[in-house]
Amino acid sequence: MTTRELSPDFKVVLLVVVAFTALSFVGSLVLTIPRETDTTKQVLEMTLTTFKLGFGALVGLLGGKTI
């Protein structure tokens, strides 16, 4: 099995996706604490959606590197 060197561009993209995914996850956790309003529900849905998209992007990036 050969090891592949990660390009600097890939590392930057991976780091940005990880940062946004973590930020979305933390944001969704913070938004579950206060009282429920319509605006809070909408922002919570948005953060959960961006977390799911970020997680999918991470899986895709890492899966594409192993092929």
Side-chain angles (χ1 to χ4, degrees):
M1 181 174 239
T2 62
T3 59
R4 293 186 181 182
E5 178 95 16
L6 297 178
S7 71
D9 293 337
F10 181 80
K11 289 178 184 179
V12 169
V13 170
L14 186 66
L15 183 65
V16 169
V17 171
V18 166
F20 279 127
T21 303
L23 185 65
S24 296
F25 182 69
V26 170
S28 64
L29 287 178
V30 169
L31 287 173
T32 58
I33 295 170
R35 65 181 189 277
E36 294 276 331
T37 64
D38 289 336
T39 305
T40 306
K41 287 179 185 178
Q42 289 174 349
V43 174
L44 179 61
E45 287 295 322
M46 182 185 66
T47 57
L48 288 173
T49 300
T50 55
F51 171 72
K52 292 173 192 174
L53 291 171
F55 185 76
L58 284 173
V59 170
L61 283 170
L62 295 175
K65 272 299 179 187
T66 60
I67 294 177

